[in-house]
PDB file of all heavy atoms in Angstrom:
ATOM      1  N   LEU A 150     105.385  86.726  11.630  1.00  0.00           N
ATOM      2  CA  LEU A 150     106.756  86.824  11.974  1.00  0.00           C
ATOM      3  C   LEU A 150     107.692  86.235  10.937  1.00  0.00           C
ATOM      4  O   LEU A 150     108.861  86.612  10.745  1.00  0.00           O
ATOM      5  CB  LEU A 150     107.028  86.342  13.325  1.00  0.00           C
ATOM      6  CG  LEU A 150     106.410  86.957  14.560  1.00  0.00           C
ATOM      7  CD1 LEU A 150     106.808  86.386  15.868  1.00  0.00           C
ATOM      8  CD2 LEU A 150     106.721  88.505  14.508  1.00  0.00           C
ATOM      9  N   ALA A 151     107.315  85.076  10.310  1.00  0.00           N
ATOM     10  CA  ALA A 151     108.193  84.320   9.478  1.00  0.00           C
ATOM     11  C   ALA A 151     107.929  84.532   7.968  1.00  0.00           C
ATOM     12  O   ALA A 151     108.728  84.050   7.121  1.00  0.00           O
ATOM     13  CB  ALA A 151     108.150  82.822   9.797  1.00  0.00           C
ATOM     14  N   GLY A 152     106.914  85.241   7.679  1.00  0.00           N
ATOM     15  CA  GLY A 152     106.522  85.390   6.254  1.00  0.00           C
ATOM     16  C   GLY A 152     107.529  86.210   5.447  1.00  0.00           C
ATOM     17  O   GLY A 152     107.609  86.120   4.226  1.00  0.00           O
ATOM     18  N   GLN A 153     108.358  86.999   6.115  1.00  0.00           N
ATOM     19  CA  GLN A 153     109.449  87.762   5.346  1.00  0.00           C
ATOM     20  C   GLN A 153     110.506  86.874   4.908  1.00  0.00           C
ATOM     21  O   GLN A 153     111.287  87.199   3.943  1.00  0.00           O
ATOM     22  CB  GLN A 153     109.967  88.858   6.310  1.00  0.00           C
ATOM     23  CG  GLN A 153     110.655  88.224   7.532  1.00  0.00           C
ATOM     24  CD  GLN A 153     111.149  89.381   8.431  1.00  0.00           C
ATOM     25  OE1 GLN A 153     112.088  90.047   8.036  1.00  0.00           O
ATOM     26  NE2 GLN A 153     110.676  89.473   9.582  1.00  0.00           N
ATOM     27  N   TRP A 154     110.713  85.700   5.498  1.00  0.00           N
ATOM     28  CA  TRP A 154     111.749  84.794   5.122  1.00  0.00           C
ATOM     29  C   TRP A 154     111.318  83.745   4.089  1.00  0.00           C
ATOM     30  O   TRP A 154     112.037  83.415   3.094  1.00  0.00           O
ATOM     31  CB  TRP A 154     112.399  84.097   6.321  1.00  0.00           C
ATOM     32  CG  TRP A 154     113.255  84.950   7.155  1.00  0.00           C
ATOM     33  CD1 TRP A 154     114.370  85.624   6.822  1.00  0.00           C
ATOM     34  CD2 TRP A 154     113.036  85.322   8.526  1.00  0.00           C
ATOM     35  NE1 TRP A 154     114.866  86.335   7.808  1.00  0.00           N
ATOM     36  CE2 TRP A 154     114.081  86.163   8.903  1.00  0.00           C
ATOM     37  CE3 TRP A 154     112.050  85.036   9.457  1.00  0.00           C
ATOM     38  CZ2 TRP A 154     114.205  86.725  10.203  1.00  0.00           C
ATOM     39  CZ3 TRP A 154     112.130  85.533  10.717  1.00  0.00           C
ATOM     40  CH2 TRP A 154     113.254  86.367  11.128  1.00  0.00           C
ATOM     41  N   LEU A 155     110.142  83.146   4.429  1.00  0.00           N
ATOM     42  CA  LEU A 155     109.617  82.121   3.510  1.00  0.00           C
ATOM     43  C   LEU A 155     108.011  82.270   3.439  1.00  0.00           C
ATOM     44  O   LEU A 155     107.443  82.776   4.390  1.00  0.00           O
ATOM     45  CB  LEU A 155     109.935  80.695   4.050  1.00  0.00           C
ATOM     46  CG  LEU A 155     111.409  80.294   4.039  1.00  0.00           C
ATOM     47  CD1 LEU A 155     111.525  78.852   4.769  1.00  0.00           C
ATOM     48  CD2 LEU A 155     111.977  80.144   2.669  1.00  0.00           C
ATOM     49  N   PRO A 156     107.447  81.891   2.352  1.00  0.00           N
ATOM     50  CA  PRO A 156     105.937  81.948   2.198  1.00  0.00           C
ATOM     51  C   PRO A 156     105.331  81.094   3.233  1.00  0.00           C
ATOM     52  O   PRO A 156     105.676  79.922   3.437  1.00  0.00           O
ATOM     53  CB  PRO A 156     105.658  81.543   0.790  1.00  0.00           C
ATOM     54  CG  PRO A 156     106.912  80.694   0.354  1.00  0.00           C
ATOM     55  CD  PRO A 156     108.094  81.370   1.119  1.00  0.00           C
ATOM     56  N   VAL A 157     104.305  81.573   3.947  1.00  0.00           N
ATOM     57  CA  VAL A 157     103.490  80.810   4.888  1.00  0.00           C
ATOM     58  C   VAL A 157     102.086  80.611   4.370  1.00  0.00           C
ATOM     59  O   VAL A 157     101.446  81.549   4.058  1.00  0.00           O
ATOM     60  CB  VAL A 157     103.482  81.493   6.260  1.00  0.00           C
ATOM     61  CG1 VAL A 157     102.659  80.772   7.292  1.00  0.00           C
ATOM     62  CG2 VAL A 157     104.932  81.716   6.731  1.00  0.00           C
ATOM     63  N   ASP A 158     101.605  79.353   4.336  1.00  0.00           N
ATOM     64  CA  ASP A 158     100.221  79.076   4.025  1.00  0.00           C
ATOM     65  C   ASP A 158      99.492  78.707   5.290  1.00  0.00           C
ATOM     66  O   ASP A 158      99.532  77.556   5.809  1.00  0.00           O
ATOM     67  CB  ASP A 158     100.196  77.891   3.041  1.00  0.00           C
ATOM     68  CG  ASP A 158      98.698  77.614   2.547  1.00  0.00           C
ATOM     69  OD1 ASP A 158      97.798  78.033   3.187  1.00  0.00           O
ATOM     70  OD2 ASP A 158      98.636  76.894   1.486  1.00  0.00           O
TER      71      ASP A 158
END
Side-chain angles (χ1 to χ4, degrees):
L150 297 181
Q153 61 180 295
W154 286 300
L155 293 174
V157 177
D158 185 344

